[in-house]
Amino acid sequence: MATAQEKQFVNQVDMIWDGWLNNLKTVQNFQEDLQQKALQAFSYQKELLDFSVKTLNTMEEESKKVTKDWNEKIQSNVKQSRINQNEQVSEWLNNIQDVTERVQLLSWNPSHALLDLFIESQKQLEATIKKTLDSQQKERTENFKKIEELTEQMKATHKGILNPTKA
């Protein structure tokens, strides 16, 4: 039967190695927390980009609405002023509308293209980082299992070296 001193010795060896293993677990948990924070950052970026797209679309719709209202008011004013709307006035109104539409296209297309580029880049970066993080997680899990096995072996070896009568 094991004496109290031998039990204390075994407990101390176990405590040393279990403490070391728990410290490794803490580091691993910290790494997992960092991974989650990185993934959360992508979620926040996606929300920001979605909001930007929505805002840009709203601004574009409002701009088109204002332009349409403006054109209707001009045409209404021309009709009300009883100007004989000859070919020249009609051509002038058509030219204004054409210029307005082109300006809107030139104004909104680059913004949409830039947002599309940001969204696509964000998706690609997120996919790459997720793949990398998944790979790291898998490797950490495999390595940690090996470390746990090694720790058990080290406990047994340590006990055998310090207490050869029980080995």
Side-chain angles (χ1 to χ4, degrees):
M1 183 167 208
T3 66
Q5 186 178 20
E6 289 173 344
K7 286 181 183 179
Q8 183 180 6
F9 170 75
V10 169
N11 287 339
Q12 287 174 346
V13 169
D14 286 343
M15 192 170 64
I16 290 170
W17 286 106
D18 289 343
W20 179 77
L21 190 60
N22 284 333
N23 286 335
L24 285 179
K25 287 179 183 178
T26 301
V27 169
Q28 186 173 10
N29 289 337
F30 179 71
Q31 289 174 329
E32 290 173 6
D33 288 345
L34 286 177
Q35 283 182 334
Q36 291 304 315
K37 299 252 186 268
L39 294 177
Q40 274 182 335
F42 282 109
S43 176
Y44 296 145
Q45 287 175 349
K46 185 177 183 322
E47 288 176 17
L48 177 63
L49 287 172
D50 289 345
F51 179 75
S52 297
V53 167
K54 183 179 176 183
T55 301
L56 182 64
N57 288 337
T58 301
M59 289 172 51
E60 184 177 12
E61 288 172 18
E62 288 297 318
S63 174
K64 286 179 181 179
K65 182 181 173 186
V66 167
T67 301
K68 182 181 174 188
D69 290 346
W70 182 77
N71 280 334
E72 288 173 358
K73 285 180 182 178
I74 287 179
Q75 289 176 359
S76 174
N77 286 339
V78 167
K79 287 178 184 177
Q80 285 178 0
S81 66
R82 295 185 183 161
I83 294 178
N84 187 5
Q85 192 173 2
N86 59 26
E87 187 177 307
Q88 190 177 19
V89 172
S90 178
E91 185 178 331
W92 178 76
L93 288 174
N94 288 337
N95 285 340
I96 288 177
Q97 186 172 356
D98 185 46
V99 167
T100 303
E101 288 173 2
R102 288 180 189 209
V103 166
Q104 284 180 337
L105 280 176
L106 290 173
S107 298
W108 299 115
N109 283 349
S111 298
H112 282 290
L114 187 60
L115 270 175
D116 290 345
L117 176 66
F118 281 146
I119 290 169
E120 188 59 34
S121 296
Q122 193 262 350
K123 285 179 183 177
Q124 290 176 358
L125 182 61
E126 182 179 10
T128 301
I129 289 189
K130 279 184 178 179
K131 184 177 177 182
T132 301
L133 292 177
D134 288 345
S135 174
Q136 288 177 350
Q137 178 64 36
K138 182 180 175 184
E139 288 179 26
R140 272 198 314 272
T141 301
E142 290 173 8
N143 288 336
F144 197 76
K145 287 178 185 176
K146 291 176 185 175
I147 288 171
E148 286 178 321
E149 292 170 5
L150 179 63
T151 301
E152 290 301 316
Q153 290 175 2
M154 293 300 292
K155 281 182 188 181
T157 301
H158 193 181
K159 290 173 189 175
I161 291 172
L162 296 176
N163 193 1
T165 60
K166 294 292 178 183

